[in-house]
Amino acid sequence: MLKITMEMNQTETAFVSPVNPSDTFQTGEHFNLRWFTPTNEVNLCGHATMATSAVIFGKRDNTNEQLTFHTKSGELMVSKVGDEYVMDFPLNHTAPQDQTPVKNLIQMSIGKIIPQDVQYAPKPHGDLVIRLPDSTSRDVLEGLKPDTTAMMKAFPDGHIKGVIVTLRGCPENGAKDECGEIFDFMSRYFDPWNGFPEDPVTGVLRQMIFICYCAC
């Protein structure tokens, strides 16, 4: 699986198979699901799960209203509601992070900006969550250029395996779409520990297509 993912060279590749060997992708309700980056297996990927559901429902014409995926993060459910899909995912709590031991990592991530809050999320990956002040403009968030190689080298022990930089949306900071609707928040996800400098789906700069490899 890892070799295939390296060949795909996407941030995550999803591998799915029916739990019951007698099931097909059209009839099955329960599926095994695993996600790999080009360097290792990860515990959770929401976008790849949604893409997998879209393939099973839309391309394989699955007849069920709900799919259950058996994963490293437990059972994940995706339901088909009309023409839309609804995911039920685990709530992974964060805890306040003492900034002293991660001071250098914060500076590598956001420069001289003083964060409004810093939290640590042990699950599913071990992420440092840095909240920018509400007064920070959208352009500043999009313009961040962290040294992801230095970030990875500074914390090689696996305690931190990702940095989320997030900004709460408000009318003053430009966090809105083309129609003027205010985003609840914007974020970028830097993840060199898992083989890619930035996740382009979670971030604000680009879009990504996830490739689902279906193996019976």
Side-chain angles (χ1 to χ4, degrees):
M1 292 182 186
L2 183 58
K3 289 180 178 179
I4 292 173
T5 303
M6 293 171 66
E7 182 180 349
M8 296 294 186
N9 197 32
Q10 305 296 319
T11 50
E12 276 96 8
T13 300
F15 294 80
V16 60
S17 62
V19 170
N20 189 338
S22 64
D23 282 338
T24 67
F25 284 98
Q26 184 178 23
T27 62
E29 295 182 65
H30 292 262
F31 295 88
N32 296 310
L33 181 61
R34 299 172 70 179
W35 313 274
F36 285 79
T37 75
T39 60
N40 58 275
E41 186 173 7
V42 295
N43 295 329
L44 181 66
C45 182
H47 286 85
T49 303
M50 180 63 80
T52 301
S53 303
V55 169
I56 295 175
F57 278 129
K59 300 298 182 181
R60 296 301 182 95
D61 298 319
N62 191 280
T63 57
N64 298 291
E65 295 183 355
Q66 178 175 283
L67 305 177
T68 300
F69 295 105
H70 299 257
T71 77
K72 282 195 168 186
S73 291
E75 292 186 353
L76 307 177
M77 276 71 74
V78 180
S79 301
K80 186 175 182 181
V81 182
D83 294 330
E84 299 180 340
Y85 306 125
V86 178
M87 296 194 300
D88 184 8
F89 266 38
L91 176 61
N92 294 311
H93 296 278
T94 63
Q97 169 67 51
D98 179 6
Q99 296 186 30
T100 302
V102 294
K103 179 180 179 181
N104 291 339
L105 184 56
I106 294 173
Q107 188 172 14
M108 292 175 189
S109 303
I110 63 174
K112 296 182 180 180
I113 302 172
I114 299 176
Q116 181 164 327
D117 189 20
V118 179
Q119 300 269 326
Y120 178 69
K123 294 182 179 181
H125 307 124
D127 294 321
L128 188 70
V129 185
I130 303 173
R131 177 181 172 182
L132 300 178
D134 295 348
S135 58
T136 307
S137 71
R138 172 180 181 173
D139 291 341
V140 169
L141 173 64
E142 293 182 349
L144 293 175
K145 296 180 179 179
D147 186 341
T148 52
T149 300
M151 291 165 62
M152 181 175 60
K153 290 180 178 179
F155 288 85
D157 62 358
H159 176 67
I160 293 176
K161 299 197 68 174
V163 174
I164 302 170
V165 181
T166 186
L167 173 66
R168 179 177 178 268
C170 64
E172 292 76 23
N173 63 17
K176 58 185 178 181
D177 63 16
E178 295 82 357
C179 299
E181 293 292 327
I182 303 298
F183 296 129
D184 292 329
F185 66 93
M186 302 178 66
S187 64
R188 294 176 65 182
Y189 185 39
F190 304 104
D191 197 12
W193 295 270
N194 283 314
F196 47 91
E198 180 175 0
D199 187 337
V201 168
T202 308
V204 297
L205 301 181
R206 299 160 301 190
Q207 292 184 344
M208 171 65 97
I209 298 175
F210 286 96
I211 299 175
C212 297
Y213 178 81
C214 301
C216 295

